[in-house]
Amino acid sequence: MTLRSRRATTLAAVLTVGALSLAGCGSSSTGSSGSSGGASGGGGGGTLAKLQKAGTITVGINGENPYSYMDKSGKLTGATIALDRAVYKQLGIKTVTGKQVDWNSLIPGLTAGQFDEVSAGMSALPKRCAQAAFSYPEIVYKTALLVPKGNPKHLHTMADIKKSGANLVTETGAIEQGYAQDMGIQTQTVGTPEAGLQAVESGRADVFALTAISLRTLVKTQNAGSKVEVTPAFTAVVKGKEQIGAGAAVFRKGDTKLLNAYNKELKKIIDNPKEFLKIVGKFGFTEAERPQGKTADTAYLCSGKLPDAK
């Protein structure tokens, strides 16, 4: 649930057999856990101690605004980076640096020890939870539609697109592509959010589906408001099931002390609406993106259980 779903593509094809031997999801308060040591320390505790001693951590990013990216001056920024900095400051780790890699290289890079956390707003999905440890949820994703100004085809949901036969474009690997496939909606695919915007602006597509926060950011940064608009966010319903999506920080399964320490500080922020908006509001996030209820339950998200649409 660019949820890039936040990218729904599975990672099995790019993971090694050793990485695939990881298993299980954790509780909502501690995320996934394991007994083996991380790539940077044994017994689940070595990584946290190492990072505290160094005073710095490197996180893996995909370079996607507004989650985690390098700004025009080359500074690491974004909503998940802001959350990281607030959390790690409390853990005695003053500096957060980033290494940008392709989306499908984030978990493999983490497992290989190229960085010690994935900070990209990655959705907690069952197959991913079997490969790495997801933190307490950081951000909730809802879908929105990018349409020509005035919304001439009156599109507000994925069901509207299916019913109207509108020409849909999605980003390759994004969760919205999966929604379309499951609903039998034909779609064009593009490699970037900018390409999706261009498709709608040029008339090659009637609608571009992506997460609401991504579309709002896209229109703002591209100064595209005169030609297109973003519909209100909605929870997609596929085959009678609401598609719940929430992103989290991702750790190696063996790094249990790091994960638990991170969760303890992160939960304080997420459970405080004012503090949450203070940290991520400047990146366009609102109360609607703050995890609550089942969207704040890592184990539930990792289970893949979806509620019936009301």
Side-chain angles (χ1 to χ4, degrees):
M1 322 174 119
T2 58
L3 128 242
R4 296 182 175 130
S5 56
R6 299 202 26 343
R7 294 267 189 196
T9 308
T10 68
L11 300 170
V14 294
L15 290 175
T16 65
V17 173
L20 285 171
S21 65
L22 300 171
C25 289
S27 69
S28 60
S29 62
T30 60
S32 304
S33 65
S35 60
S36 62
S40 301
T47 300
L48 175 59
K50 180 199 72 171
L51 296 173
Q52 289 173 326
K53 182 177 180 180
T56 184
I57 183 172
T58 299
V59 300
I61 70 168
N62 184 237
E64 182 181 357
N65 186 348
Y67 302 98
S68 53
Y69 61 100
M70 301 293 184
D71 66 16
K72 293 181 180 179
S73 67
K75 180 183 177 181
L76 179 65
T77 188
T80 64
I81 297 301
L83 287 170
D84 277 346
R85 287 180 172 139
V87 168
Y88 288 123
K89 180 180 179 180
Q90 297 303 312
L91 300 182
I93 302 169
K94 297 181 179 180
T95 304
V96 178
T97 62
K99 180 174 182 178
Q100 185 168 326
V101 300
D102 292 340
W103 185 265
N104 283 350
S105 296
L106 286 169
I107 289 182
L110 174 70
T111 303
Q114 295 177 20
F115 31 83
D116 289 306
E117 182 218 320
V118 171
S119 182
M122 183 175 282
S123 295
L125 301 174
K127 289 184 179 179
R128 292 174 179 162
C129 293
Q131 299 157 355
F134 281 72
S135 74
Y136 191 83
E138 296 178 312
I139 295 168
V140 172
Y141 305 113
K142 289 190 176 182
T143 299
L145 306 176
L146 183 73
V147 296
K149 198 75 173 180
N151 197 359
K153 291 187 177 290
H154 307 290
L155 304 174
H156 301 283
T157 66
M158 297 296 292
D160 291 342
I161 297 173
K162 181 177 177 63
K163 183 177 180 179
S164 68
N167 186 6
L168 169 67
V169 63
T170 60
E171 189 179 2
T172 302
I175 211 162
E176 290 76 22
Q177 181 185 16
Y179 294 164
Q181 291 173 342
D182 290 342
M183 296 176 70
I185 302 172
Q186 291 190 339
T187 179
Q188 305 175 51
T189 57
V190 293
T192 65
E194 290 76 15
L197 168 63
Q198 292 168 6
V200 174
E201 284 185 322
S202 67
R204 291 186 287 108
D206 298 315
V207 54
F208 175 40
L210 198 65
T211 53
I213 185 65
S214 296
L215 288 180
R216 293 197 300 264
T217 301
L218 177 67
V219 170
K220 180 179 179 180
T221 57
Q222 298 296 314
N223 297 315
S226 63
K227 295 183 179 180
V228 299
E229 64 183 69
V230 178
T231 66
F234 62 92
T235 299
V237 175
V238 178
K239 298 180 179 179
K241 298 288 186 178
E242 291 185 334
Q243 304 299 300
I244 293 177
V250 190
F251 299 88
R252 288 181 290 271
K253 283 197 176 253
D255 286 337
T256 53
K257 287 189 178 180
L258 175 59
L259 171 64
N260 292 342
Y262 187 95
N263 275 339
K264 182 178 179 180
E265 298 302 328
L266 175 64
K267 192 175 186 301
K268 294 176 184 177
I269 297 171
I270 301 302
D271 289 350
N272 184 332
K274 185 177 293 186
E275 184 68 12
F276 176 77
L277 292 177
K278 177 182 176 182
I279 293 172
V280 302
K282 60 184 176 182
F283 298 101
F285 289 81
T286 68
E287 174 66 9
E289 280 82 39
R290 187 174 69 87
Q292 302 176 64
K294 288 188 179 299
T295 61
D297 187 331
T298 308
Y300 179 80
L301 296 168
C302 285
S303 76
K305 295 178 182 178
L306 297 173
D308 292 329
K310 297 178 181 179

